[in-house]
Amino acid sequence: MDVWRTVELSARLRTAGLRATGPRLAVLDALGRLGGHRRADEVHDHLANNGYDLARTSVYNVLRDLTAAGLALLADVGPGVTLYEAGSALHHHFVCRSCGSVQDVACAVGAHPCLHPDTATHPGIGTLDETQIIFRGLCSRCSPPP
């Protein structure tokens, strides 16, 4: 990682209230370079393939810290593997039922939480801080021609 990238990522970590440790810098950099929605194992493999020896458990711990600090997002695409992505902009996801591709979908509201349940019909709901919407269907590559 070049000096300018290290300075930029260090500042982002400190602004989010985290110390700029080597593992945090490496994982945050890997998420950005990989792009898209990534499993923790993909981040670990990217680091290992680029000469950065970090235990798999440490990658999971750093991803948890980055997500809690708002520097990475947990991409909730339903049951199965957990996906992470760089960034902090609120959005939802479209998951293709055929190929499994995941695409970001802009949030119409733009603030947490996007939707609010009717507390009159659901009185047990207390404080709501997040809503995640998963759109499912066939992507344009998997859709049959019209």
Side-chain angles (χ1 to χ4, degrees):
M1 183 175 359
D2 65 58
V3 173
W4 296 114
R5 179 104 171 126
T6 301
V7 169
E8 173 201 346
L9 295 178
S10 295
R12 288 178 59 200
L13 286 164
R14 283 193 297 277
T15 299
L18 297 175
R19 285 188 11 235
T21 64
R24 287 178 179 155
L25 288 165
V27 170
L28 188 57
D29 181 60
L31 271 180
R33 290 184 189 282
L34 288 167
H37 307 88
R38 301 298 178 158
R39 297 183 330 271
D41 287 343
E42 289 178 289
V43 175
H44 177 265
D45 292 347
H46 173 82
L47 293 171
N49 292 336
N50 287 282
Y52 196 93
D53 186 25
L54 187 61
R56 194 173 308 273
T57 304
S58 295
V59 171
Y60 278 95
N61 291 338
V62 169
L63 286 168
R64 181 199 62 224
D65 293 345
L66 295 176
T67 302
L71 294 173
L73 298 170
L74 184 68
D76 185 351
V77 295
V81 71
T82 301
L83 301 176
Y84 298 89
E85 57 186 314
S88 59
L90 175 64
H91 63 275
H92 303 294
H93 296 97
F94 171 86
V95 181
C96 180
R97 290 188 187 277
S98 180
C99 70
S101 66
V102 179
Q103 298 175 41
D104 292 344
V105 177
C107 177
V109 176
H112 282 295
C114 295
L115 301 172
H116 297 274
D118 181 1
T119 54
T121 57
H122 301 0
I125 295 175
T127 304
L128 182 68
D129 63 9
E130 181 179 16
T131 302
Q132 292 194 19
I133 299 170
I134 303 169
F135 298 94
R136 295 188 189 283
L138 296 176
C139 69
S140 58
R141 289 188 320 261
C142 296
S143 293

